[in-house]
Amino acid sequence: MQQITRGGTPMDVDGAIPEAGAKAPALTLTDRDLNDVTLADFAGKRKVLNIIPSVDTPTCATSTRRFNELAAAMEDTVVLVVSADLPFAAVRFCGAEGLDDVETLSTFRHPEFLKAWGVALVNSPMQGLCARAVVVLDTDDTVLHSELVGELKNEPDYDAALSALKAR
């Protein structure tokens, strides 16, 4: 079991985040139209998974905006914003913010994603939500970069994620 903090208070995270060089674990998540999607739905594209607790928090909103901005400049790359938010909330947020370059995906019908990707918050009031993480995949779903953010209130290392994309 891994640990992160929230405002300095330790929180347990179940599972292990995929490491660079590993094949990405399978995933099924729910898209904005309530369809189940897998990595195969984004075949041929590099993928940045911006994994967040909820778009309704300041840091999550900031990272979603920032990755939207970065994605607009990247060829053959899709940014997948993964959270436990209902698809309706994610669509509302992106619409209100004018964010067109990210795909929002929900874990709400797929709690197995949390442990398989090493982001399952457990043993805390935030149990059932995702820890903050970024995973960058190449077109063959091999992990190029991963980061489990150590303090939930902090933003991820955007430069490291971008560098992993530029290296490929």
Side-chain angles (χ1 to χ4, degrees):
M1 184 128 356
Q2 305 171 86
Q3 273 202 334
I4 63 168
T5 58
R6 178 175 179 241
T9 302
M11 295 175 61
D12 291 333
V13 181
D14 198 10
I17 193 161
E19 294 184 17
K23 192 72 167 169
L27 69 75
T28 301
L29 296 165
T30 304
D31 73 6
R32 62 180 40 216
D33 297 318
L34 301 178
N35 298 310
D36 286 348
V37 297
T38 67
L39 288 174
D41 291 292
F42 306 100
K45 293 191 177 280
R46 299 176 303 169
K47 293 157 267 312
V48 177
L49 283 79
N50 178 35
I51 304 168
I52 60 174
S54 172
V55 295
D56 285 326
T57 66
T59 304
C60 297
T62 297
S63 71
T64 300
R65 286 185 208 102
R66 181 75 175 121
F67 277 117
N68 181 77
E69 178 184 309
L70 294 172
M74 303 298 294
E75 288 187 33
D76 300 321
T77 303
V78 61
V79 174
L80 307 174
V81 178
V82 179
S83 72
D85 290 311
L86 292 175
F88 317 112
V91 168
R92 175 197 44 77
F93 172 81
C94 288
E97 294 283 331
L99 306 180
D100 299 325
D101 293 313
V102 296
E103 298 281 337
T104 56
L105 301 174
S106 178
T107 65
F108 89 104
R109 288 194 308 225
H110 307 285
E112 69 282 356
F113 169 86
L114 300 171
K115 186 171 181 179
W117 284 74
V119 295
L121 291 174
V122 295
N123 305 325
S124 79
M126 295 188 70
Q127 183 165 324
L129 296 178
C130 302
R132 184 175 320 288
V134 174
V135 180
V136 178
L137 306 177
D138 69 9
T139 57
D140 295 320
D141 298 331
T142 298
V143 178
L144 301 175
H145 166 78
S146 64
E147 174 192 11
L148 178 64
V149 179
E151 166 57 53
L152 194 62
K153 293 181 178 183
N154 291 348
E155 292 178 55
D157 186 342
Y158 303 110
D159 291 335
L162 192 57
S163 291
L165 286 170
K166 288 181 178 179
R168 288 288 171 132

